[in-house]
């Protein structure tokens, strides 16, 4: 019959009454009929799929209300999967009369029950006479056997009616190659909690309920379970399995682990392994090829989890405009510090500077005709690259890109199978999946919720965990220890009471492209010699540190976005280590990176920005290499360092922070400011807990004192480079809201080779320094107030610096020390100003002032001013180039040269009117202008040794050595 004879709607109504075989025959008529049959997906195919007694909703148990993309395809997949158990059946059998004609072997159906038409009343009786691949159909009722039932021939046991109508109190022991159980409720017999076990054959379980019972599969036996429910403490145990598949199953109410996988996979394989491997390979290929946005896996993530929060300011320009509005648009020397009173400590303030500005008359710069050029100094390359753009921030890589770049991860994803859990729901119990003793397991697109823990992988076990959701656990979500390995990728781990991932005792997983967020403690905790590769994850919104490393944890944390945490972004504590590189750490409540109590990480090439406190905090006894990072836009300091710590800062760009660029404090900060108080409070909490609860530390009898399980401190330090002082070299500290460098310490400090410019306060402020502070080969330019300020009773040496174009004095000096071989040019007020009982030697400097004196020595100053070259800054200025108070009898002036272009009677300056022989200071070692973050660490240590060799000793015997800033 032609299809045009009836309307399409009428054809669809007619076809809606056809059974499945007739629909298949209609598809074979022609293409038009095929298209017509396929158009019935939302009607007839949906009815057939939901009406099948051997399966449930395709998205059960995770999202039973979410319709599949195609009901016909879901029914087809179920029809193929239900036949796996009989793939090895002899399909054809020879006829007795002639070998040319073959016929299918007949499969009998044995009916069991008490009603009419039943063959047997007991299950054991039917199994006694059943032949290979026969079907045993159980009528509704309860069947109980008083002894173990052995399955010696392949058989199919099916419950008739709805699920729950047929219940078995039977313990099966499978001794045949294959068997299938369908539409049954399995409960333990009185003599054993195990309702089914197999050690060699293959068992297929479809649409069965296990209530308070156990299923055991021992290799080389295999299992395929679909749409099964394990409730009331039921569980599945796999021992040495090479391959088994649990698909769309539900586990609830378990007193232990819902699924336990134990022992290494056996080398022997049964007949079903190749068929299960084909199914697993298809699933893995689909998971890797399809983007998560369009998959059912991502549908689960989007439905059951909170949406990804927006990420802060859209650009550096936006942040700068916001900061400009906060300070009322004030710029340059006329702008007040962003936080009033930041440097008003110990009786010293910028009031003296402002007074001097007023005394100097109208605001002017040196005459442009006679201004000395200094742009050719050795740190120009730092200034050229000081601007940072968010376009430079590393982007998250996809899982496909990560696997292409990591051969080890790709090998694990393709080779680790063992027990495969796919599309399962594990909820409301003690544990989810437990793997131990070299076991292999694969978890794909499962949901773990309201458990004590979701996944535990220990004792050299290996796992692959792809596209799962882990939430609401009462302890850690995923727990790895004792040399466990595996790949944990594209999971959504959130809202857990402890850490999202807990890695310890030599565990070394690869953690890729996950979302780890909204935890009540830390996102990831690595401790107790734990390792791991943590890459391309989004870690956000956790109440404690996004990544917490302690007790000799030593992971690689690379390419992650860690943001909007309620504590530190990354915290390294209690002798933790780790390589932390190429991460974006932003908008965290406490420090972007917090290093304390023996923490010794490598922090390299990260973007640490827009934090509500400081960028990097190096607290008490903190160590580590902090190299090549961009630290900008933070509400507190760029880098905050405590004097008892021992870090190395190399080649960092510390810019546009609201407070200090680099702050060096004593052991206790007496000023409980916003940033300080929050950091100290957070450090105490993080240090005591840090996302690792007491329950986890003492789990299963483990000691909370980890020192017995760790490497000794001597061994750990000997494995790393030897450091006697902290080191900060070739950093650029610019456009910060207060001082570029703020020093308030009782220990020696060396500040060498840094660019300090365009800060809203003083370039370098030394407010407390009872031991010698050295400023060597720095470029200090364009700051709103003085270039360098030294308070009373501070011991400071300035050598080989370039101090240019600052809004106040070049050097304002009230302490004791040396000012030797510096270029101090173009500053608005005096070049060098010594006041307040200073004891200073000013030797071999080149100075050009703006309005004030080149060198100004007040009444109570003691010292020597010798061999300095002073250039006149402005022809109309009445101020002498070197001014010594007439009542000062304790300062000596010797052999200084005053150079004025007016003496030559020419409109052009003298050829000697230049900073030549030597060229402008500082003199850089790298003429190519490459970033200092790539300098040799050995060279930096050598420079430190050279600088500190002449530092007077005396305070280091009873206290820690503070910080060397290079």
């Amino acid at each position: 019959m032609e299809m045009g004879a009836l309307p399409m709607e009428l054809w669809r109504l007619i076809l809606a009454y056809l059974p499945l075989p007739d629909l298949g025959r209609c598809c074979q008529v022609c293409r038009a009929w095929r298209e017509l049959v396929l158009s019935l997906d939302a009607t007839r195919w949906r009815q057939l799929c939901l009406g099948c007694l051997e399966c449930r909703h395709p998205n059960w148990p995770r999202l039973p209300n979410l319709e599949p993309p195609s009901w016909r395809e879901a029914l087809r997949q179920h029809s193929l999967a239900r036949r796996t158990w009989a793939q090895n059946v002899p399909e054809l059998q020879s006829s007795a009369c002639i070998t040319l004609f073959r016929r299918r072997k007949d499969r009998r159906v044995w009916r069991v029950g008490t009603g009419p038409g039943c063959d047997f009343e007991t299950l054991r009786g039917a199994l006694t006479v059943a032949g290979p691949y026969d079907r045993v159909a159980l009528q509704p009722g309860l069947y109980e056997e008083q002894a173990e039932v052995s399955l010696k021939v392949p058989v199919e046991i099916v419950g008739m009616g709805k699920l729950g109508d047929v219940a078995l109190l039977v313990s099966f022991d499978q001794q045949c190659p294959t068997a299938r159980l369908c539409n049954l409720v399995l409960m333990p017999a009185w003599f054993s909690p195990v309702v089914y076990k197999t050690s060699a054959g293959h068992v297929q379980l479809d649409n069965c309920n296990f209530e308070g019972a156990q299923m055991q599969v021992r290799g080389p036996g295999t299992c395929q379970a679909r749409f099964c429910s394990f409730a009331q403490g039921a569980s599945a145990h796999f021992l040495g399995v090479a391959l088994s598949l649990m698909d769309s199953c539900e586990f609830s109410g378990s007193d232990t682990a819902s699924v336990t996988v134990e022992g290494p996979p056996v080398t022997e394989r049964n007949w079903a392994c190749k068929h299960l491997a084909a199914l697993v390979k298809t699933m893995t290929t689909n998971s890797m090829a399809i983007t998560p946005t369009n998959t059912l896996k991502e549908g689960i993530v989007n439905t059951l989890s909170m949406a990804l929060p927006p990420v802060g300011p859209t650009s550096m320009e936006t942040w700068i405009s916001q900061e400009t509005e906060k300070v009322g648009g004030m710029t340059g020397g006329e702008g007040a510090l962003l936080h009033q009173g930041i440097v008003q400590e110990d009786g010293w303030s910028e009031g003296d500077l402002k007074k001097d500005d007023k005394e100097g008359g109208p605001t002017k710069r040196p005459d442009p005709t006679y201004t000395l050029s200094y742009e050719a100094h050795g740190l120009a390359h730092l200034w050229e690259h000081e601007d940072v753009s968010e376009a430079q921030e590393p982007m998250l890589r996809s899982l496909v890109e990560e696997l292409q770049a990591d051969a080890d991860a790709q090998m694990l994803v393709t080779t680790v199978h063992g027990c495969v859990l796919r599309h399962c729901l594990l909820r409301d119990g003690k544990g989810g999946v437990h793997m131990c003793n070299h076991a292999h397991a694969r978890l794909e697109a499962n949901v773990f919720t309201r458990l004590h823990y979701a996944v535990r992988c220990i004792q050299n076990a290996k796992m692959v965990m792809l596209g799962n959701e882990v939430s609401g656990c009462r302890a850690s979500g995923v727990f790895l220890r004792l040399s466990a390995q595996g790949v944990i990728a594209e999971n959504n781990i959130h809202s857990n009471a402890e850490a999202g991932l807990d890695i310890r005792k030599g565990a070394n997983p690869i953690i890729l492209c996950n979302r780890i967020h909204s935890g009540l403690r830390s996102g990831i905790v690595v401790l107790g010699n734990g390792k791991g590769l943590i890459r391309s994850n989004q870690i956000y919104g956790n109440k404690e540190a996004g990544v917490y490393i302690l007790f000799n944890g030593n992971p690689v944390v690379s390419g992650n976005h860690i943001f909007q945490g309620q504590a530190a972004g990354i915290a390294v504590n209690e002798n933790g280590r780790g390589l932390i590189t190429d991460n974006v750490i932003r908008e965290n409540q406490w420090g972007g990176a917090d290093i304390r109590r023996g923490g010794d990480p490598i922090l390299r090439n990260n973007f640490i920005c827009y934090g509500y406190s400081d960028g990097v905090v190096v607290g008490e006894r903190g160590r580590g290499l902090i190299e090549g990072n961009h630290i900008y836009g933070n509400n507190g300091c760029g880098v905050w360092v405590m004097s008892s710590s021992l870090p190395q800062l190399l080649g960092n760009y510390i810019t546009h922070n609201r407070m200090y660029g680099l702050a060096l404090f004593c052991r206790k900060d007496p000023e409980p400011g916003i940033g300080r108080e929050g950091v100290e409070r957070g450090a105490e909490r993080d240090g005591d807990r840090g996302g690792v609860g007491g329950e986890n530390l003492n789990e299963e009898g483990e000691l909370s004192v980890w020192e017995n399980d760790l490497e000794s401190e001597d061994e750990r330090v000997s494995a790393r480079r030897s450091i006697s002082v902290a080191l900060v070299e070739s950093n650029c500290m610019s456009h910060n809201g207060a001082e570029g460098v703020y020093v308030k310490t009782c220990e020696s400090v060396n500040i060498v080779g840094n660019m300090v410019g365009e800060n809203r306060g003083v370039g370098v402020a030394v407010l407390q320094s009872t031991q010698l502070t050295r400023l060597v080969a720095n470029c200090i330019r364009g700051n709103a107030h003085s270039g360098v300020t030294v308070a009373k009773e501070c011991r400071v040496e300035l050598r080989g610096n370039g101090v240019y174009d600052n809004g106040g004095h070049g050097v304002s000096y009230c302490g004791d020390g040396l000012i030797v071989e510096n270029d101090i040019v173009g500053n608005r007020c005096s070049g060098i100003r010594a006041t307040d009982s200073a004891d200073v030697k000013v030797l071999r400097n080149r100075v050009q002032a703006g309005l004030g004196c080149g060198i100004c020595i007040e009444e109570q100053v003691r010292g020597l001013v010798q061999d300095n070259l002073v250039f006149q800054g402005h022809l109309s200025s009445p101020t002498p180039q070197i001014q010594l108070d007439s009542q000062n009898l304790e300062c000596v002036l010797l052999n200084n040269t005053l150079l004025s272009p007016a003496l030559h009677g020419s409109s052009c300056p003298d050829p000697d009117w230049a900073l030549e022989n030597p060229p402008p200071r500082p003199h850089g070692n790298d003429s190519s202008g490459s970033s200092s973050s790539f300098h040799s660490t050995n060279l930096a240590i050598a420079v430190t040794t050279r600088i500190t060799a002449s530092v007077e000793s005396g305070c280091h015997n009873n206290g820690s050595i503070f910080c060397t800033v290079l």
Side-chain angles (χ1 to χ4, degrees):
M1 179 183 295
E2 294 293 334
M3 292 187 60
L6 293 175
M8 296 297 295
E9 291 76 9
L10 187 57
W11 279 117
R12 292 190 178 97
L13 181 62
I14 295 173
L15 295 177
Y17 290 93
L18 296 183
L20 181 60
D22 292 339
L23 284 177
R25 296 185 184 98
C26 290
C27 283
Q28 298 175 346
V29 173
C30 64
R31 181 175 299 178
W33 279 76
R34 174 180 171 81
E35 296 296 331
L36 177 61
V37 173
L38 295 182
S39 68
L40 303 175
D41 188 82
T43 55
R44 184 54 180 163
W45 290 109
R46 183 178 186 274
Q47 294 175 358
L48 291 173
C49 187
L50 295 179
C52 179
L53 298 179
E54 298 181 358
C55 68
R56 307 189 192 187
H57 190 285
N59 290 330
W60 185 89
R62 302 163 305 148
L63 295 174
N65 297 323
L66 179 65
E67 292 196 359
S70 172
W71 289 98
R72 185 188 64 84
E73 180 64 21
L75 185 61
R76 188 181 74 88
Q77 292 292 339
H78 168 71
S79 179
L80 293 175
R82 61 178 289 194
R83 302 174 186 174
T84 304
W85 78 282
Q87 290 294 319
N88 69 332
V89 61
E91 184 177 352
L92 300 175
Q93 184 177 11
S94 299
S95 174
C97 59
I98 187 169
T99 59
L100 295 179
F101 299 95
R102 296 172 180 259
R103 61 180 175 85
R104 293 181 180 272
K105 182 180 179 181
D106 293 333
R107 293 179 55 194
R108 295 193 59 178
V109 177
W110 303 95
R111 293 175 175 81
V112 180
T114 58
C118 295
D119 302 313
F120 298 92
E121 293 186 357
T122 64
L123 175 62
R124 187 184 296 272
L127 293 175
T128 302
V129 299
Y133 301 99
D134 285 352
R135 168 177 287 200
V136 177
L138 302 178
Q139 300 301 313
L142 176 66
Y143 299 86
E144 182 177 5
E145 297 293 341
Q146 300 299 319
E148 187 176 75
V149 175
S150 298
L151 301 180
K152 298 184 178 180
V153 295
V155 67
E156 181 181 25
I157 304 174
V158 179
M160 308 305 293
K162 297 180 179 180
L163 179 63
D165 291 345
V166 179
L168 304 181
L169 279 76
V170 180
S171 178
F172 290 101
D173 180 13
Q174 179 180 337
Q175 300 175 5
C176 55
T178 184
R180 179 174 184 253
L181 276 65
C182 179
N183 205 38
L184 302 172
V185 176
L186 302 172
M187 296 180 290
W190 63 271
F191 55 87
S192 173
V194 179
V195 297
Y196 201 97
K197 60 182 179 182
T198 180
S199 59
H202 171 75
V203 59
Q204 180 165 337
L205 305 169
D206 290 328
N207 199 30
C208 292
N209 283 358
F210 290 76
E211 296 183 358
Q214 295 181 12
M215 178 186 69
Q216 291 184 359
V217 179
R218 183 183 299 271
T222 56
C223 172
Q224 181 183 2
R226 300 179 70 251
F227 301 108
C228 293
S229 176
F230 293 75
Q232 301 178 16
S235 60
H237 294 254
F238 298 88
L239 291 83
V241 295
L243 189 59
S244 287
L245 175 62
M246 306 287 287
D247 188 4
S248 300
C249 296
E250 180 181 24
F251 298 83
S252 62
S254 174
D255 296 330
T256 57
S258 297
V259 179
T260 300
V261 187
E262 183 178 358
V266 297
T267 56
E268 184 182 356
R269 301 288 189 269
N270 68 9
W271 67 269
C273 280
K274 62 179 181 179
H275 302 286
L276 294 178
L279 289 176
V280 172
K281 183 178 180 180
T282 302
M283 292 187 300
T284 302
T285 302
N286 293 337
S287 299
M288 303 303 297
I290 303 176
T291 59
T293 305
N294 297 323
T295 60
L296 178 62
K297 173 177 62 180
E298 187 66 15
I300 298 172
V301 170
N302 292 334
T303 303
L304 297 182
S305 67
M306 61 187 298
L308 185 66
V311 181
T314 57
S315 66
M316 174 60 75
E317 290 75 12
T318 303
W319 190 90
I320 293 174
S321 64
Q322 294 173 355
E323 292 301 296
T324 303
E325 293 175 0
K326 290 178 182 179
V327 299
M330 293 182 293
T331 58
E334 298 176 356
L337 294 179
L338 189 60
H339 297 276
Q340 295 296 328
I342 286 178
V343 295
Q344 297 176 6
E345 303 179 24
D346 299 337
W348 179 90
S349 72
E350 283 288 338
D352 296 335
L353 173 60
K354 296 178 181 178
K355 178 180 178 181
D356 294 333
D357 294 346
K358 294 179 181 179
E359 294 174 354
T363 301
K364 295 182 181 179
R365 293 288 180 181
D367 193 325
T369 306
Y370 304 105
T371 300
L372 297 172
S373 175
Y374 58 84
E375 299 297 338
H377 61 80
L379 298 182
H381 61 281
L382 291 179
W383 191 253
E384 293 172 359
H385 299 90
E386 64 93 20
D387 288 332
V388 62
S389 170
E390 285 191 291
Q392 297 174 297
E393 294 182 3
M395 301 297 294
L396 290 171
R397 296 201 294 184
S398 67
L399 179 58
V400 174
E401 292 172 333
E402 288 289 353
L403 294 180
Q404 289 174 348
D406 192 334
D408 293 337
Q410 188 173 16
M411 182 185 68
L412 286 172
V413 168
T414 56
T415 59
V416 173
H417 293 124
C419 178
V420 180
L421 266 73
R422 177 176 180 256
H423 295 166
C424 295
L425 172 63
L426 299 92
R427 61 178 178 87
D428 301 312
K430 171 71 174 179
V433 179
H434 177 78
M435 292 156 277
C436 60
N437 193 21
H438 299 270
H440 287 191
R442 189 182 193 93
L443 314 177
E444 294 185 358
N446 304 287
V447 174
F448 301 83
T449 184
R450 300 190 300 274
L451 302 164
H452 185 73
Y453 66 88
V455 178
R456 175 179 293 170
C457 186
I458 64 174
Q459 296 174 339
N460 297 99
K462 292 183 180 180
M463 72 170 177
V464 173
M465 189 173 175
L466 300 174
N468 303 275
E469 178 168 8
V470 178
S471 66
C473 294
R474 296 183 292 276
S476 297
V478 180
F479 184 73
L480 301 101
R481 68 172 183 179
L482 298 174
S483 302
Q485 300 181 49
V487 175
I488 303 172
E490 286 193 337
N491 302 283
N492 185 30
I493 303 172
H494 66 94
S495 307
N496 298 290
E498 298 290 337
L501 285 91
D502 188 316
I503 305 168
R504 64 177 77 182
K505 283 196 170 183
N508 190 17
I510 301 174
I511 303 171
L512 306 174
C513 306
N514 301 279
R515 292 172 58 196
I516 305 168
H517 62 98
S518 307
L520 301 182
R521 299 293 293 274
S522 297
I524 300 177
V525 170
V526 185
L527 71 157
N529 291 320
K531 301 177 184 178
L533 178 60
I534 304 170
R535 269 202 324 254
S536 297
N537 301 280
Q538 296 182 71
I539 305 171
Y540 61 93
N542 299 286
K543 285 193 174 180
E544 295 187 3
V547 178
Y548 201 93
I549 306 170
L550 66 165
F551 296 127
N552 271 22
N554 191 16
V556 176
V557 184
S558 174
N560 303 280
H561 285 198
I562 305 171
F563 57 97
Q564 295 185 357
Q566 299 181 33
I570 296 179
V572 186
N573 210 329
E574 304 295 347
N575 298 323
R577 290 178 284 172
L579 174 60
I580 303 167
T581 178
D582 296 313
N583 302 281
V584 177
I585 306 171
R586 60 192 299 164
E587 300 179 72
N588 296 285
Q589 292 289 336
W590 299 344
D594 193 300
I595 306 169
R596 299 173 187 267
R597 300 180 185 178
D600 191 9
I602 297 176
L603 193 69
R604 178 178 292 149
N605 298 336
N606 301 281
F607 288 77
I608 305 173
C609 54
Y610 305 128
Y612 295 101
S613 183
D614 303 317
V616 176
V617 175
V618 185
E620 184 179 0
R621 294 187 290 112
R623 301 169 62 92
L625 172 63
I626 304 171
E627 179 180 14
N629 302 281
H630 289 275
I631 305 170
Y632 60 93
N634 299 285
N635 283 356
C637 304
V639 179
W640 185 86
V641 180
M642 185 177 290
S643 62
S644 60
S645 59
L646 206 64
Q648 301 181 75
L649 275 73
L650 306 177
N652 301 282
Y653 288 89
I654 306 170
T655 63
H656 297 95
N657 299 286
R658 188 171 295 178
M659 293 178 65
Y660 313 115
L662 170 64
L664 311 172
F665 285 95
C666 294
R667 178 173 284 105
K668 293 184 179 179
D669 183 13
E671 192 177 35
I674 296 176
R676 299 282 67 71
E677 185 180 10
V679 172
E680 291 295 341
R681 188 167 59 244
E684 293 174 3
R685 183 181 179 192
D686 245 5
D688 294 338
R689 299 181 71 187
V692 184
E695 182 178 2
N696 275 6
L697 286 177
N698 294 283
E699 189 173 5
E700 297 184 5
E702 294 182 54
L703 295 176
S704 61
V705 182
W706 283 87
E707 285 76 4
N708 296 333
D709 185 54
L710 306 178
E711 303 169 349
S712 68
E713 179 68 14
D714 293 338
E715 292 175 352
R716 191 184 68 83
V717 173
S718 64
R720 302 286 294 274
R721 54 190 176 279
S722 177
I723 302 171
S724 59
V725 294
L727 172 67
V728 183
E729 178 191 11
S730 299
N731 302 280
C732 178
M733 290 161 279
S734 67
H735 298 94
N736 296 290
E739 280 62 47
V741 179
Y742 179 92
V743 179
K744 186 179 179 183
T745 176
C746 60
E747 303 187 15
S748 296
V749 180
N750 291 329
I751 304 173
V752 179
N754 300 281
M755 169 66 72
V756 184
E758 301 291 344
N759 299 287
R760 291 178 178 173
V762 177
V764 179
V766 183
L767 273 68
Q768 178 181 331
S769 178
T770 56
Q771 299 298 315
L772 184 60
T773 295
R774 283 176 162 257
L775 305 178
V776 180
N778 302 282
C779 180
I780 305 167
R781 58 169 290 181
N783 298 285
H785 295 283
S786 297
V788 179
T789 297
V790 180
K792 296 178 182 179
E793 300 179 357
C794 293
R795 299 181 57 197
V796 179
E797 176 181 338
L798 283 80
R799 186 183 297 271
N801 302 281
V803 184
Y804 306 117
D805 278 334
N806 296 285
H809 303 295
V811 178
S812 179
Y813 202 97
C814 303
D816 304 335
L818 300 173
I819 303 175
V820 182
E821 296 179 349
N822 302 280
D823 289 343
I824 305 172
V825 172
N827 302 285
R828 184 162 66 95
C829 298
S830 299
I832 300 175
R833 177 175 177 264
T835 62
D836 295 333
S837 303
D839 187 353
V840 60
K841 293 181 180 180
V842 183
L843 308 175
R844 300 183 298 279
N845 299 282
R846 295 184 294 191
V847 182
Q848 182 188 46
L851 298 175
C853 303
I855 301 176
C856 178
I857 308 296
E858 295 191 356
E859 179 181 354
Q860 299 178 357
V861 175
R862 296 178 297 172
L864 173 64
V865 180
Q866 182 178 359
D867 295 330
N868 298 283
L869 178 60
V870 182
F871 295 84
Q872 184 173 354
H874 204 284
L875 297 181
S876 62
S877 176
T879 308
Q881 297 305 302
I882 299 180
Q883 178 176 324
L884 177 63
D885 192 282
S886 59
Q887 299 181 7
N888 190 322
L889 303 178
E890 299 189 27
C891 184
V892 179
L893 276 64
L894 294 176
N895 197 28
N896 297 285
T897 302
L898 307 180
L899 189 58
S900 174
L903 298 177
H904 299 275
S906 173
S907 61
C908 297
D910 188 86
D912 295 332
W913 195 266
L915 298 178
E916 296 180 353
N917 298 321
R921 299 183 176 95
H923 302 150
N925 294 326
D926 186 4
S927 60
S928 64
S930 60
S931 174
S932 63
S933 62
F934 300 100
H935 289 177
S936 170
T937 302
N938 294 330
L939 174 61
I941 295 174
V943 173
T944 307
T945 304
R946 172 174 56 81
I947 293 172
T948 57
S950 61
V951 177
E952 296 181 13
S953 60
C955 82
H956 303 315
N957 296 329
N958 298 323
S960 61
I961 301 174
F962 183 43
C963 179
T964 302
V965 184
L966 294 181

